[in-house]
């Protein structure tokens, strides 16, 4: 799967992923009112509103970007209707030719990881029929439980040509509480980075592995160290934009050829119309504002090379 992502990044000259992380605060009033008029103040109405919101954003940006990253928590907050909106979003993005990174940060004891892996990137057997339940192209996973929690995901990648992004050094302010602790001379994030390199060793295609890593834009020095420790891992870089990460700090995540990293922005794109910079678009023009924000992000990142 990684070779498809790299190919699309090269073709579009856009190492960018748009995070589809909708909340009702971002959904313009006219969309939410329509859903509530039809379904009342219900979870179903909320789910319809976020799906319509996503659809319009995707229509406005799909030709500019290689991939999207729907964050499952934003959908789970609306229960079962929310999860149905998640699945509808994944399918719609696929219809538009986008690759989908499911941001679910799964990971558990081996048997439970296997079930997560089947549900998100594998196939479940019902009688003699094999069904891909969510069918994302990539999945984020949390490696905290160790190798036996990660390997079931790697196995599913091998079977179905899928990919992973494993949390290594996260973008949030407290990430150092555990991730920066030293074990011997190495920090925990360095040890995890080394394991990512090992887990991905059998899945290298055209120079990069289907097993990638998540490293926050907010920690560029650590990004530089990790780029060396995991030379074959594509790095998914969240933290740009709303969390304060800037283009100037992104260079260490990339290789010299401009590949090796893909930068996520969620709120900075989907809620661009709420920023002063894009205020001229107004709530009615939220999708056009998202398109303008993607073009600005692309140019911003291109300026570092
Ligand atoms: O270290 C991490 C890992 C994942 N995320 C996720 O990325 C997006 C960021 O959203 P923004 O609105 O662009 O800040 C969100 O889905 C997080 O759960 C992260 O931020 N940091």
């Amino acid at each position: 799967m990684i070779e498809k992502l790299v190919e699309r990044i090269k073709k579009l000259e856009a190492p960018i992923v748009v995070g589809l992380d909708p909340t009702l605060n971002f959904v313009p009033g006219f969309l939410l009112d329509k859903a509530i008029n039809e379904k009342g103040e219900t979870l179903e109405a909320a789910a319809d509103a976020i799906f319509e919101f996503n659809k319009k954003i995707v229509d406005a940006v799909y030709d500019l970007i290689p991939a999207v990253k729907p964050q499952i928590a934003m959908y789970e907050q609306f229960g079962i209707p929310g999860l149905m909106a998640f699945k509808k979003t994944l399918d719609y993005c696929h219809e538009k030719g986008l690759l989908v990174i499911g941001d679910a940060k799964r990971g558990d004891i081996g048997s439970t990881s296997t079930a997560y892996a089947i549900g998100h990137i594998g196939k479940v057997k019902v009688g003699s029929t094999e069904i891909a339940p969510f069918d994302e192209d990539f999945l984020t996973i949390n490696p905290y439980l160790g190798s036996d929690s990660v390997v079931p995901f790697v196995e599913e990648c091998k079977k179905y040509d899928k990919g992973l992004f494993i949390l290594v050094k996260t973008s949030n302010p407290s990430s150092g509480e555990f991730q920066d602790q030293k074990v011997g001379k190495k920090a925990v994030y360095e040890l995890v980075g080394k394991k990512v390199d090992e887990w991905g060793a059998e899945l290298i295609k055209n120079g990069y592995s289907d097993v990638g890593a998540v490293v926050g834009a907010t920690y560029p020095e650590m990004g530089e160290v990790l780029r060396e420790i995991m030379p074959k891992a594509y790095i998914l870089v969240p933290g740009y934009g709303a969390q304060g990460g800037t283009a100037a700090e992104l260079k260490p995540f990339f290789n010299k050829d401009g590949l090796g990293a893909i930068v996520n922005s969620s709120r900075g794109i989907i809620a661009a119309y709420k920023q002063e910079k894009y205020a001229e678009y107004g709530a009615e023009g939220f999708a056009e504002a998202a398109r303008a924000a993607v073009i600005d992000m692309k140019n911003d990142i291109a300026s570092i090379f």
Side-chain angles (χ1 to χ4, degrees), residues 160-197:
Y160 298 110
D161 185 23
K162 301 283 183 166
L164 302 174
F165 289 103
I166 301 181
L167 298 183
V168 174
K169 171 67 188 169
T170 58
S171 63
N172 53 312
S174 311
S175 70
E177 265 176 31
F178 303 130
Q179 296 164 21
D180 299 1
Q181 291 303 309
K182 289 271 166 67
V183 179
K185 289 192 172 144
K186 300 280 182 203
V188 168
Y189 68 81
E190 292 177 271
L191 299 177
V192 179
K194 187 86 193 63
K195 290 303 289 184
V196 165
D197 191 58

Side-chain angles (χ1 to χ4, degrees), residues 39-116:
K39 299 210 168 144
E41 292 186 353
T42 59
L43 295 173
E44 285 75 12
D48 282 3
I50 61 170
F51 176 66
E52 285 306 314
F53 175 74
N54 283 348
K55 199 163 171 275
K56 289 190 164 39
I57 300 262
V58 169
D59 288 343
V61 303
Y62 75 94
D63 58 323
L64 299 173
I65 56 168
V68 290
K69 183 180 78 61
Q71 164 57 260
I72 200 167
M74 299 303 174
Y75 303 82
E76 280 178 356
Q77 66 183 321
F78 302 111
I80 302 303
L83 278 179
M84 288 168 77
F86 178 73
K87 175 59 176 156
K88 273 169 69 180
T89 298
L90 305 181
D91 291 348
Y92 190 67
C93 292
H94 277 146
E95 269 172 41
K96 301 299 277 187
L98 290 162
L99 292 170
V100 174
I101 303 170
D103 194 350
K105 301 188 181 70
R106 295 300 196 241
D108 206 311
I109 62 164
S111 53
T112 308
S113 274
T114 299
Y116 277 139

Side-chain angles (χ1 to χ4, degrees), residues 21 69 71 103 105 170-171 214 238 242-243 264-267:
D21 294 17
K69 183 180 78 61
Q71 164 57 260
D103 194 350
K105 301 188 181 70
T170 58
S171 63
V214 176
Q243 295 176 52
N264 177 78
S265 180
S266 305
R267 289 166 289 179

Side-chain angles (χ1 to χ4, degrees), residues 250-294:
L250 292 173
K251 205 160 182 186
F253 296 89
F254 287 91
N255 287 317
K256 300 239 167 339
D257 56 3
L259 297 174
I262 183 161
V263 183
N264 177 78
S265 180
S266 305
R267 289 166 289 179
I269 304 292
I270 66 171
Y273 76 100
K274 290 189 171 250
Q275 295 173 37
E276 214 178 306
K277 184 172 177 193
Y278 304 104
E280 68 191 87
Y281 292 94
E284 290 278 340
F286 74 96
E288 289 74 25
R291 183 175 178 87
V294 167

